[in-house]
Amino acid sequence: MLGESFQIVHFLCIAFPIIEESTTTGATVASTIITTGTTGTTVITTTAPCPTGYVRTLSGSCVNLLIDFNNCGSIGYVCASTYTSCSNGACSGAPAVQLTGAVAVSGWGGTTSIDDAYLTLSLPFSISLYGYSTPSASVQSNGCVCLGGCSSAYSNTALPSSSFSGPTAFGLWDDLYIYAGTSQTVYYAATGTYPNRSLVFEFYTAHFSSSTRYFHFQIVFYEASPYIVSYLYYQASDGGASATIGVQSSGNGPSITYSVNLATVPYGTSTTNTPTLTVTFDTNNGTYSSSG
């Protein structure tokens, strides 16, 4: 109508990205990004790289060809039921690695034998003992995880041991050895989801005197339970008769001892796939409990 004024309103379409929750399948992590704009909807799926030592299958999962029973040596090669494990890419009667998504400590095992060594790792979350928390820890080849000052000492003693100056978990401190040409090494990985993750160190080793005197156990720290650590045992060829099992705060204590030079751990076998013994140390109150 005459005399009336009109206001022209412009509508602007802007594309907003919507990032959906990440999904995890095995060792594969995928994120989906959905973008909606004037020309329609675009869906982009990105996949995180496989962990070190893993390869991707056609289905998108990540597998370790050196230790995966169902992808042993090559993708899709399944070991016969007469074998117990995939060891260094070949079907074997040796113990099987139990940790899903296990990553081997860099430079240990494979073509390199390891004796009396320790290596410091950056961790996916901080672990703690005796009121001390750290985002890094040293894995010691003779059955220990050090949260502070570490040592390559192989001759076990009663606790506390002055060889280790910081908080240390002695899963099975003995003269252990990692033999080349096998899948023996120390593996580690975080399991579960935040804030209830577990950080697992899996020791698959042998005694220095024999490549088939197996010592196979895990040391586990808990994100939601600070200052607590558990040891899960699958195989101990001499039951721990020449080992120290316990935990200490420093070289002069305090400490908690489960056993010293006593065969307190069930021997187990290469076919053992569930822990024969679990020992949990609570450094909040200086106690331990065991089951199995």
Side-chain angles (χ1 to χ4, degrees), residues 96-149:
V97 176
Q98 299 298 311
L99 179 58
T100 301
V103 175
V105 169
S106 179
W108 286 17
T111 59
T112 306
S113 294
I114 299 296
D115 185 30
D116 305 334
Y118 66 88
L119 185 69
T120 301
L121 305 173
S122 295
L123 307 176
F125 62 88
S126 293
I127 59 176
S128 59
L129 287 174
Y130 286 104
Y132 178 79
S133 180
T134 178
S136 63
S138 296
V139 177
Q140 199 248 33
S141 63
N142 290 317
C144 311
V145 174
C146 309
L147 277 63

Side-chain angles (χ1 to χ4, degrees), residues 45-227:
T45 300
T46 59
T47 303
C50 290
T52 302
Y54 284 71
V55 298
R56 194 174 304 283
T57 66
L58 292 177
S59 65
S61 61
C62 296
V63 297
N64 187 330
L65 301 181
L66 297 180
I67 60 174
D68 193 313
F69 194 83
N70 296 308
N71 297 275
C72 190
S74 61
I75 293 174
Y77 187 87
V78 181
C79 292
S81 59
T82 52
Y83 295 103
T84 58
S85 69
C86 175
S87 179
N88 202 37
C91 299
S92 170
V97 176
Q98 299 298 311
L99 179 58
T100 301
V103 175
V105 169
S106 179
W108 286 17
T111 59
T112 306
S113 294
I114 299 296
D115 185 30
D116 305 334
Y118 66 88
L119 185 69
T120 301
L121 305 173
S122 295
L123 307 176
F125 62 88
S126 293
I127 59 176
S128 59
L129 287 174
Y130 286 104
Y132 178 79
S133 180
T134 178
S136 63
S138 296
V139 177
Q140 199 248 33
S141 63
N142 290 317
C144 311
V145 174
C146 309
L147 277 63
C150 204
S151 166
S152 59
Y154 65 88
S155 183
N156 70 301
T157 66
L159 301 180
S161 167
S162 59
S163 296
F164 299 83
S165 60
T168 304
F170 299 89
L172 197 146
W173 180 22
D174 199 353
D175 194 0
L176 305 182
Y177 197 90
I178 294 171
Y179 285 84
T182 71
S183 286
Q184 294 176 18
T185 188
V186 179
Y187 298 89
Y188 67 104
T191 64
T193 57
Y194 174 85
N196 297 300
R197 293 173 292 180
S198 297
L199 187 59
V200 183
F201 298 90
E202 182 165 338
F203 288 74
Y204 167 26
T205 62
H207 199 265
F208 83 97
S209 63
S210 172
S211 63
T212 57
R213 284 184 60 191
Y214 298 123
F215 292 86
H216 186 196
F217 58 95
Q218 295 177 341
I219 297 177
V220 185
F221 294 87
Y222 306 99
E223 185 174 29
S225 299
Y227 317 126

